[in-house]
Amino acid sequence: MSDQPTYYVTTPIYYVNDAPHIGHAYTTLACDVLARFKRLDGYYVRFLTGTDEHGQKVEKSAEAAGKDPLTFTTEVSQNFRDLADFMNFTHDDFIRTTEPRHIKACQAIWQKLVDAGDIYLGSYVGWYAVRDEAFYGEDELTKNADGVRIAPSGAEVEWVEEPSYFFKLSAWGDRLLAYYDANPDFILPESRRNEVTSFVKGGLNDLSVSRTTFKWGVPVPGDDEHIMYVWLDALTNYITAVGYPETDGGNYAKYWPADLHMVGKDILRFHAVYWPAFLMAAGLELPKRVFAHGWWTNEGQKISKSLGNVIDPIELANRYGLDQVRYFMLREVPFGNDGDFSHTAMINRMNGELANDFGNLAQRVLSMIAKNCDGKVPTPGPFEADDTALLGQAQGLLEVVRDQLDRQGFNHALESIWVVIRAANGYVDRQAPWKLKKEDPARMATVLYVLAETIRHLAIMAQPVMPEAMEKMLDQLAQSADARDFTALGEGGALVPGLDLPKPEGVFPRFVDEDAE
Ligand code: ME8
């Protein structure tokens, strides 16, 4: 076995009742950036996304569309795949819960839970919200203006009475708390971890894990009257995709436990309470981390189909550019917090940070090299303190960004990259290479070399967030495909003086609003 480290990152699998929107793109983008970063950093990466296709909510949506559930889910699932391709996501696997490999895994984990004595037959009498696919206690509900009972998520609930298998969740509270305690980074951010801990401390009820009043799901082994609760089915996807129930060798041995389940805050409880309890009961290892990010609103309003303000990431990217949108989403909001999408904020970041700060830096430096250095990487003379300071900052970036991304601090990582971009711009102004051209051409060559080398570091570091733009920037520095991972940041990777550079072209255009007066 190679000792190359591994990294397994997952997105939620999305319900196929709806068109994909910016919220789905956001979660998968965050995972894509981590997957790309880890690959460049020498890891074997497994990056999983997919669609959650069973349950009452999907069944009802299929019915409303006048289609049988499988035809419907096949179509909608394809929309999620298309979005992932469009967004330039690099997932290694796209799972659908209707696939035979998944049904087999669900039935296998069910059997493990039965064998462990954690499943019993009873009947569920209580409230259920189809929109959340979740059960609620009376004390969690409020009434809306029409007197209809509403779950904390805002979803309407309905009264359900049916035979059901239960999972003995109540028996797992202490072990979950002990696990959170021993693994303080299991749930991030910390505020969310505290919420989960107090929820578990409040006492857990046994969980209804099968339904009998509809058919669209995985049959319970040995009792065809029941289908598995859609969340037990859905959560299992994370192990299906690494080959469960095969646990000896293969991808399971290589990748499980997952390094990170990335989720939105709405579904943290399922991932940080139910899923670890299922896994412990089945005798399987727990994922290393669940990170719950915040919620996007649109110009201050909740995003919803009924409000007609769903943000289509494809439209955004067509307007502003794909890498610009990828950058904006991860830079605008501290990861973990809620965030608001506004066109003004998008344009400000695009024009300010991308076009002015980074784009102009590269364009100015590469144009000066094209004009004054015969289009070749200049040969530097001895370095001065200002030169080594800037190069030192650029060389120190990897370690800083690696730490920040290991805690899912995307905005911090981008800010760290921008600290160096701003430092480089400050250096250009101080050193004024355009003046040196006549006064001291040898010094000009050194300054331009230091800048080009700094830009090379920046472009390599920014690849995970802006892969296409950085590909262009690295092309302009004539870097071969195998000189773009993080080993190229070490000794020996530096730009070779005399290397021919292609004609420079701008990478980050300014946004000009054609609709504006
Ligand atoms: O919950 N802001 O699927 P889902 C940020 N199938 N993120 C958002 C968002 C918004 N406005 N809207 C959606 C399910 N998301 C289950 C998951 S996993 C085993 C099963 C993102 O289609 C966010 O990641 O409702 C959220 O957790 C997820 O989409 C919910 O997707």
Side-chain angles (χ1 to χ4, degrees):
M1 242 294 293
S2 139
D3 52 9
Q4 192 174 349
T6 62
Y7 187 75
Y8 180 26
V9 58
T10 68
T11 75
I13 47 172
Y14 303 109
Y15 285 129
V16 286
N17 64 314
D18 208 352
H21 64 67
I22 192 172
H24 309 115
Y26 182 56
T27 317
T28 314
L29 168 64
C31 295
D32 183 56
V33 168
L34 295 173
R36 286 176 181 270
F37 186 92
K38 289 290 179 186
R39 288 189 200 107
L40 292 171
D41 211 11
Y43 285 67
Y44 283 120
V45 170
R46 191 112 195 127
F47 165 20
L48 173 69
T49 188
T51 43
D52 187 354
E53 307 194 1
H54 289 134
Q56 215 169 350
K57 166 157 150 165
V58 170
E59 191 183 64
K60 285 190 170 178
S61 300
E63 223 171 79
K67 297 189 173 147
D68 72 274
L70 192 57
T71 309
F72 176 75
T73 56
T74 302
E75 279 173 23
V76 186
S77 177
Q78 187 59 42
N79 297 339
F80 280 89
R81 256 181 224 263
D82 292 346
L83 176 71
D85 291 342
F86 177 86
M87 295 293 296
N88 217 347
F89 295 153
T90 54
H91 47 284
D92 301 289
D93 193 356
F94 187 104
I95 192 167
R96 299 182 53 192
T97 55
T98 44
E99 289 174 58
R101 61 170 170 163
H102 180 65
I103 292 162
K104 183 170 148 202
C106 287
Q107 294 184 329
I109 196 171
W110 179 279
Q111 199 53 52
K112 283 272 179 225
L113 300 178
V114 170
D115 295 346
D118 275 286
I119 299 262
Y120 63 91
L121 185 61
S123 62
Y124 183 78
V125 180
W127 297 103
Y128 190 77
V130 174
R131 197 183 87 188
D132 302 342
E133 296 283 18
F135 302 94
Y136 289 101
E138 180 79 44
D139 55 345
E140 292 179 276
L141 306 176
T142 49
K143 282 192 185 163
N144 71 8
D146 304 327
V148 178
R149 284 183 174 75
I150 302 290
S153 62
E156 284 186 18
V157 294
E158 60 188 51
W159 187 253
V160 172
E161 289 189 21
E162 61 186 71
S164 173
Y165 286 97
F166 282 81
F167 171 71
K168 283 187 191 161
L169 184 62
S170 58
W172 290 93
D174 290 344
R175 279 170 281 188
L176 285 169
L177 290 170
Y179 189 81
Y180 305 152
D181 213 39
N183 299 278
D185 287 343
F186 174 57
I187 302 168
L188 285 181
E190 209 183 320
S191 55
R192 301 268 167 235
R193 171 173 184 259
N194 298 338
E195 278 170 28
V196 171
T197 307
S198 40
F199 172 73
V200 176
K201 280 190 179 147
L204 296 172
N205 295 326
D206 287 351
L207 184 70
S208 164
V209 286
S210 75
R211 304 290 311 267
T212 48
T213 44
F214 64 95
K215 283 277 160 237
W216 185 235
V218 178
V220 164
D223 191 346
D224 279 355
E225 290 301 302
H226 291 250
I227 55 160
M228 285 169 62
Y229 173 40
V230 66
W231 271 101
L232 172 53
D233 163 346
L235 289 160
T236 302
N237 93 88
Y238 301 130
I239 53 176
T240 304
V242 285
Y244 188 82
E246 282 313 316
T247 54
D248 291 337
N251 277 340
Y252 189 92
K254 189 168 172 186
Y255 291 109
W256 192 259
D259 292 272
L260 176 66
H261 291 323
M262 180 69 82
V263 298
K265 64 180 184 180
D266 54 325
I267 56 174
L268 178 59
R269 193 181 288 184
F270 299 96
H271 284 81
V273 180
Y274 302 167
W275 179 227
F278 296 149
L279 287 169
M280 283 197 251
L284 300 171
E285 278 185 87
L286 270 50
K288 294 181 196 152
R289 177 171 303 164
V290 178
F291 191 106
H293 66 64
W295 213 240
W296 280 92
T297 49
N298 183 1
E299 313 267 354
Q301 277 199 316
K302 184 176 159 44
I303 298 176
S304 92
K305 220 163 45 172
S306 52
L307 290 172
N309 65 350
V310 169
I311 303 172
D312 177 358
I314 298 182
E315 265 171 38
L316 279 189
N318 285 338
R319 182 156 189 213
Y320 300 114
L322 177 59
D323 281 354
Q324 282 81 350
V325 171
R326 289 175 59 113
Y327 173 78
F328 174 80
M329 287 202 272
L330 294 177
R331 179 65 188 85
E332 177 68 6
V333 182
F335 201 70
N337 293 6
D338 291 340
D340 187 42
F341 182 86
S342 96
H343 289 277
T344 310
M346 171 81 226
I347 294 168
N348 285 344
R349 291 216 181 259
M350 177 175 170
N351 286 349
E353 288 157 19
L354 295 179
N356 285 356
D357 294 347
F358 198 7
N360 273 355
L361 171 70
Q363 182 68 6
R364 272 164 105 188
V365 169
L366 292 170
S367 305
M368 279 189 272
I369 292 177
K371 250 202 242 139
N372 305 315
C373 309
D374 203 15
K376 293 184 197 321
V377 172
T379 305
F383 288 142
E384 296 179 3
D386 207 15
D387 309 337
T388 41
L390 181 63
L391 287 173
Q393 266 186 293
Q395 286 154 0
L397 254 184
L398 174 60
E399 209 173 315
V400 174
V401 169
R402 186 191 279 138
D403 278 356
Q404 290 167 325
L405 287 185
D406 275 342
R407 294 187 69 78
Q408 288 70 54
F410 298 96
N411 56 308
H412 297 301
L414 286 169
E415 182 52 34
S416 300
I417 295 175
W418 254 255
V419 166
V420 180
I421 291 174
R422 287 190 211 107
N425 279 320
Y427 172 93
V428 177
D429 294 342
R430 268 195 312 280
Q431 297 293 335
W434 54 90
K435 277 200 209 150
L436 293 169
K437 190 180 165 189
K438 286 223 175 84
E439 295 163 13
D440 187 351
R443 178 65 195 149
M444 177 195 72
T446 306
V447 167
L448 291 177
Y449 180 86
V450 168
L451 284 164
E453 177 59 5
T454 302
I455 293 167
R456 186 182 71 88
H457 275 264
L458 291 166
I460 289 177
M461 290 302 305
Q463 288 176 102
V465 176
M466 299 182 288
E468 281 177 356
M470 293 306 100
E471 187 181 338
K472 282 190 203 149
M473 209 176 268
L474 288 164
D475 286 348
Q476 296 191 25
L477 289 167
Q479 296 304 288
S480 62
D482 58 4
R484 297 180 180 202
D485 67 29
F486 295 157
T487 57
L489 299 173
E491 267 173 53
L495 281 173
V496 179
L499 179 69
D500 272 319
L501 300 181
K503 192 169 168 290
E505 275 169 42
V507 167
F508 292 119
R510 284 184 69 76
F511 181 78
V512 183
D513 192 350
E514 278 158 13
D515 301 331
E517 299 277 294

